[in-house]
Amino acid sequence: MPDCVCLPGCPFFNDKMPDTEGMGAIYKKKYCQGEFEKCARHMVFKALGKAKVPANLYPNMVEQAKTIIAKG
Ligand code: SF4
């Protein structure tokens, strides 16, 4: 599995977002260097573009991502 294309500029991957409950390293392995198609940030990026990805959206917030995408 290749790394996520967003990885170099992603605030989550580059530790610009607070680490919630020490999940940062786990999510990086699970999403950024694994199933990035399932990452909430990547979902919004792919559907609407980088500018529409909220600063506080974490990889596991898939329901929020779906709502954002539905609203366009
Ligand atoms: S998988 Fe999600 S959090 Fe990780 S680099 Fe890609 S967009 Fe960012």
Side-chain angles (χ1 to χ4, degrees), residues 44-58:
V44 177
F45 161 78
K46 201 172 164 191
L48 305 174
K50 189 176 177 180
K52 296 277 187 171
V53 184
N56 59 353
L57 187 72
Y58 283 85

Side-chain angles (χ1 to χ4, degrees), residues 53-68:
V53 184
N56 59 353
L57 187 72
Y58 283 85
N60 63 320
M61 295 179 170
V62 171
E63 287 309 313
Q64 286 93 324
K66 285 180 183 167
T67 304
I68 293 162

Side-chain angles (χ1 to χ4, degrees), residues 5-62:
V5 291
C6 303
L7 200 145
C10 180
F12 175 78
F13 190 81
N14 293 286
D15 300 326
K16 302 273 165 42
M17 292 166 69
D19 187 353
T20 50
E21 300 162 12
M23 293 299 282
I26 293 165
Y27 286 169
K28 283 179 191 177
K29 198 143 192 74
K30 177 176 165 68
Y31 295 102
C32 312
Q33 296 173 308
E35 298 180 314
F36 60 82
E37 300 273 358
K38 293 183 181 170
C39 167
R41 295 188 63 85
H42 189 271
M43 286 167 65
V44 177
F45 161 78
K46 201 172 164 191
L48 305 174
K50 189 176 177 180
K52 296 277 187 171
V53 184
N56 59 353
L57 187 72
Y58 283 85
N60 63 320
M61 295 179 170
V62 171

